[in-house]
Amino acid sequence: MGRRTVALGVAVIGAVAGVLTARGLRVPSRLRAVPKELTTRAEVPGIPGARYWTGVDIEPFVRDVLKARDREAKHRESSGLERELPAAALLGVSGGGDNGAFGAGLLCGWSESGTRPQFKAVTGISTGALIAPPAFAGPEYDHVLRTVFTSVGPSDIASKRSLLAAINNDGMADNRPLWGQISRYIDERLLEKIADEHAKGRILLVGTTNLDACQPVIWNMGKIAASGAPGALHLFRTILLASAAVPGAFPPSMIRVEVDGEIYEEMHVDGGASAQVFLYPPSLRGVAASLGEEMTRKAHVYIIRNAPRRASQAPVKRQTISIVSPAIRSLIHVQGFGDLHRIYGTAHRDGLDFNLAFVDDDFDAEHPKEFDTQYMRALFDYGYRQGRDGYSWKKSPP
């Protein structure tokens, strides 16, 4: 091979690399991040108080819980019921990817049994965030849970990006297909339903992780739905997409906020980067007491963990990529049990009835790939049968 041929080859490679850099490896742009000292002052334009920084200050959260209690009492009184509040039902739905089919099936079967309560509060993270709005809206939205968790496949969740694009992009896959799914089922009608229930004192919360601040953020979805702001529906959908956006795998959701008239942009990803499931901060009652309010209401706590009791086990190749994935799975699995024990300890201390559901060892369907339709149908049916026949709720974490 002559020098001129080599030189031509180098020039061609250089030109191709330049084109790929310009077209395929362009870093997505973003607005300026919120400065550290202004982080907790940032608000969504038109929807003040839409979220809480529970890792920094839970007082705003507690005040809104107390306001919800007052709204509930007034609603009961106006409906001809006793103003005194009965025991509440609280539901927390965990992350778990396509294992969310278990929780969806369990809720639908529970509805079929005729014993499913109306939940005073519903919380969700990751796939649990996608389950939470229909679960909050009630059994009339069970068809959404059934359709989503028995009919979607991998292409309905994300589309792969080229390796070159993924290296310098914001995720290995594009989650616009999931945005399409969310937009199809989270519509104006559902938003109005959630706003109506918020007015009655019920609470719907979804968790994301603010990557700029490395802090968990709890969003009051009922307040967003009831805000009447022009961008409320878009924000609602964006938060759900963010809560299910596994960092590195899917793009983050960029949310515009405002401080003193200045516009900034926050980067939000999977709430599972902070916790696998949540209910309420352990210090809630103590903070309420410091505000002169007692919170001694009895409650039944229901936690749905969309994951097997035992982590999957398989030999790991001595190779970087092969090592990373099971290491992350192990971290998530152990973190999930830590969350369960925290919630159990708090519920036990506060005198609440604790109930836990998870995928037990008797479910052994093949799981060839993520969001495999046949696997999800089998898991949905497994959860549905148990919910319909009267699930044997576990009274403590395994």
PDB file of all heavy atoms in Angstrom, residues 140-152:
ATOM      1  N   GLU A 140     -62.086   1.775  38.267  1.00  0.00           N
ATOM      2  CA  GLU A 140     -62.545   2.113  36.919  1.00  0.00           C
ATOM      3  C   GLU A 140     -61.370   2.300  35.955  1.00  0.00           C
ATOM      4  O   GLU A 140     -61.564   2.304  34.736  1.00  0.00           O
ATOM      5  CB  GLU A 140     -63.404   3.379  36.933  1.00  0.00           C
ATOM      6  CG  GLU A 140     -62.659   4.642  37.336  1.00  0.00           C
ATOM      7  CD  GLU A 140     -63.561   5.860  37.391  1.00  0.00           C
ATOM      8  OE1 GLU A 140     -63.874   6.391  36.312  1.00  0.00           O
ATOM      9  OE2 GLU A 140     -63.943   6.262  38.506  1.00  0.00           O
ATOM     10  N   TYR A 141     -60.156   2.425  36.496  1.00  0.00           N
ATOM     11  CA  TYR A 141     -58.970   2.562  35.656  1.00  0.00           C
ATOM     12  C   TYR A 141     -58.127   1.286  35.642  1.00  0.00           C
ATOM     13  O   TYR A 141     -56.983   1.298  35.182  1.00  0.00           O
ATOM     14  CB  TYR A 141     -58.126   3.754  36.114  1.00  0.00           C
ATOM     15  CG  TYR A 141     -58.689   5.065  35.590  1.00  0.00           C
ATOM     16  CD1 TYR A 141     -59.658   5.763  36.289  1.00  0.00           C
ATOM     17  CD2 TYR A 141     -58.262   5.580  34.357  1.00  0.00           C
ATOM     18  CE1 TYR A 141     -60.191   6.944  35.805  1.00  0.00           C
ATOM     19  CE2 TYR A 141     -58.792   6.759  33.859  1.00  0.00           C
ATOM     20  CZ  TYR A 141     -59.753   7.439  34.585  1.00  0.00           C
ATOM     21  OH  TYR A 141     -60.288   8.606  34.076  1.00  0.00           O
ATOM     22  N   ASP A 142     -58.682   0.187  36.127  1.00  0.00           N
ATOM     23  CA  ASP A 142     -57.944  -1.079  36.089  1.00  0.00           C
ATOM     24  C   ASP A 142     -57.635  -1.505  34.654  1.00  0.00           C
ATOM     25  O   ASP A 142     -56.638  -2.199  34.404  1.00  0.00           O
ATOM     26  CB  ASP A 142     -58.740  -2.185  36.790  1.00  0.00           C
ATOM     27  CG  ASP A 142     -58.634  -2.104  38.311  1.00  0.00           C
ATOM     28  OD1 ASP A 142     -57.899  -1.232  38.813  1.00  0.00           O
ATOM     29  OD2 ASP A 142     -59.308  -2.910  38.997  1.00  0.00           O
ATOM     30  N   HIS A 143     -58.488  -1.111  33.711  1.00  0.00           N
ATOM     31  CA  HIS A 143     -58.240  -1.493  32.318  1.00  0.00           C
ATOM     32  C   HIS A 143     -56.926  -0.908  31.804  1.00  0.00           C
ATOM     33  O   HIS A 143     -56.269  -1.497  30.940  1.00  0.00           O
ATOM     34  CB  HIS A 143     -59.400  -1.035  31.425  1.00  0.00           C
ATOM     35  CG  HIS A 143     -59.489   0.451  31.252  1.00  0.00           C
ATOM     36  ND1 HIS A 143     -60.054   1.277  32.200  1.00  0.00           N
ATOM     37  CD2 HIS A 143     -59.076   1.264  30.249  1.00  0.00           C
ATOM     38  CE1 HIS A 143     -59.992   2.535  31.782  1.00  0.00           C
ATOM     39  NE2 HIS A 143     -59.405   2.550  30.601  1.00  0.00           N
ATOM     40  N   VAL A 144     -56.527   0.231  32.351  1.00  0.00           N
ATOM     41  CA  VAL A 144     -55.247   0.828  31.967  1.00  0.00           C
ATOM     42  C   VAL A 144     -54.099  -0.055  32.451  1.00  0.00           C
ATOM     43  O   VAL A 144     -53.160  -0.363  31.697  1.00  0.00           O
ATOM     44  CB  VAL A 144     -55.105   2.257  32.533  1.00  0.00           C
ATOM     45  CG1 VAL A 144     -53.706   2.805  32.270  1.00  0.00           C
ATOM     46  CG2 VAL A 144     -56.165   3.175  31.935  1.00  0.00           C
ATOM     47  N   LEU A 145     -54.177  -0.488  33.704  1.00  0.00           N
ATOM     48  CA  LEU A 145     -53.133  -1.353  34.254  1.00  0.00           C
ATOM     49  C   LEU A 145     -53.044  -2.661  33.474  1.00  0.00           C
ATOM     50  O   LEU A 145     -51.947  -3.135  33.137  1.00  0.00           O
ATOM     51  CB  LEU A 145     -53.417  -1.649  35.728  1.00  0.00           C
ATOM     52  CG  LEU A 145     -53.384  -0.449  36.682  1.00  0.00           C
ATOM     53  CD1 LEU A 145     -53.813  -0.877  38.080  1.00  0.00           C
ATOM     54  CD2 LEU A 145     -51.994   0.163  36.722  1.00  0.00           C
ATOM     55  N   ARG A 146     -54.187  -3.237  33.169  1.00  0.00           N
ATOM     56  CA  ARG A 146     -54.207  -4.507  32.440  1.00  0.00           C
ATOM     57  C   ARG A 146     -53.611  -4.338  31.040  1.00  0.00           C
ATOM     58  O   ARG A 146     -52.775  -5.144  30.607  1.00  0.00           O
ATOM     59  CB  ARG A 146     -55.634  -5.046  32.341  1.00  0.00           C
ATOM     60  CG  ARG A 146     -55.742  -6.359  31.578  1.00  0.00           C
ATOM     61  CD  ARG A 146     -57.182  -6.819  31.472  1.00  0.00           C
ATOM     62  NE  ARG A 146     -57.727  -7.194  32.761  1.00  0.00           N
ATOM     63  CZ  ARG A 146     -57.580  -8.400  33.299  1.00  0.00           C
ATOM     64  NH1 ARG A 146     -56.876  -9.334  32.667  1.00  0.00           N
ATOM     65  NH2 ARG A 146     -58.132  -8.679  34.462  1.00  0.00           N
ATOM     66  N   THR A 147     -54.021  -3.298  30.329  1.00  0.00           N
ATOM     67  CA  THR A 147     -53.538  -3.095  28.956  1.00  0.00           C
ATOM     68  C   THR A 147     -52.040  -2.849  28.923  1.00  0.00           C
ATOM     69  O   THR A 147     -51.304  -3.477  28.155  1.00  0.00           O
ATOM     70  CB  THR A 147     -54.281  -1.912  28.303  1.00  0.00           C
ATOM     71  OG1 THR A 147     -55.688  -2.188  28.287  1.00  0.00           O
ATOM     72  CG2 THR A 147     -53.798  -1.696  26.884  1.00  0.00           C
ATOM     73  N   VAL A 148     -51.584  -1.941  29.770  1.00  0.00           N
ATOM     74  CA  VAL A 148     -50.166  -1.562  29.747  1.00  0.00           C
ATOM     75  C   VAL A 148     -49.276  -2.742  30.117  1.00  0.00           C
ATOM     76  O   VAL A 148     -48.245  -2.986  29.475  1.00  0.00           O
ATOM     77  CB  VAL A 148     -49.909  -0.384  30.701  1.00  0.00           C
ATOM     78  CG1 VAL A 148     -48.407  -0.143  30.863  1.00  0.00           C
ATOM     79  CG2 VAL A 148     -50.588   0.883  30.181  1.00  0.00           C
ATOM     80  N   PHE A 149     -49.661  -3.504  31.141  1.00  0.00           N
ATOM     81  CA  PHE A 149     -48.761  -4.529  31.643  1.00  0.00           C
ATOM     82  C   PHE A 149     -48.998  -5.919  31.052  1.00  0.00           C
ATOM     83  O   PHE A 149     -48.379  -6.892  31.488  1.00  0.00           O
ATOM     84  CB  PHE A 149     -48.819  -4.576  33.169  1.00  0.00           C
ATOM     85  CG  PHE A 149     -48.090  -3.426  33.814  1.00  0.00           C
ATOM     86  CD1 PHE A 149     -48.769  -2.273  34.186  1.00  0.00           C
ATOM     87  CD2 PHE A 149     -46.729  -3.479  34.007  1.00  0.00           C
ATOM     88  CE1 PHE A 149     -48.098  -1.202  34.757  1.00  0.00           C
ATOM     89  CE2 PHE A 149     -46.042  -2.418  34.582  1.00  0.00           C
ATOM     90  CZ  PHE A 149     -46.729  -1.272  34.954  1.00  0.00           C
ATOM     91  N   THR A 150     -49.870  -6.030  30.052  1.00  0.00           N
ATOM     92  CA  THR A 150     -50.035  -7.321  29.382  1.00  0.00           C
ATOM     93  C   THR A 150     -49.871  -7.223  27.869  1.00  0.00           C
ATOM     94  O   THR A 150     -49.923  -8.249  27.187  1.00  0.00           O
ATOM     95  CB  THR A 150     -51.415  -7.944  29.669  1.00  0.00           C
ATOM     96  OG1 THR A 150     -52.445  -7.094  29.151  1.00  0.00           O
ATOM     97  CG2 THR A 150     -51.614  -8.158  31.161  1.00  0.00           C
ATOM     98  N   SER A 151     -49.697  -6.025  27.336  1.00  0.00           N
ATOM     99  CA  SER A 151     -49.646  -5.904  25.874  1.00  0.00           C
ATOM    100  C   SER A 151     -48.386  -5.238  25.344  1.00  0.00           C
ATOM    101  O   SER A 151     -48.073  -5.372  24.163  1.00  0.00           O
ATOM    102  CB  SER A 151     -50.869  -5.122  25.367  1.00  0.00           C
ATOM    103  OG  SER A 151     -50.857  -3.798  25.845  1.00  0.00           O
ATOM    104  N   VAL A 152     -47.644  -4.517  26.192  1.00  0.00           N
ATOM    105  CA  VAL A 152     -46.464  -3.826  25.679  1.00  0.00           C
ATOM    106  C   VAL A 152     -45.290  -4.790  25.522  1.00  0.00           C
ATOM    107  O   VAL A 152     -45.236  -5.835  26.174  1.00  0.00           O
ATOM    108  CB  VAL A 152     -46.046  -2.654  26.589  1.00  0.00           C
ATOM    109  CG1 VAL A 152     -47.163  -1.639  26.739  1.00  0.00           C
ATOM    110  CG2 VAL A 152     -45.585  -3.154  27.951  1.00  0.00           C
TER     111      VAL A 152
END
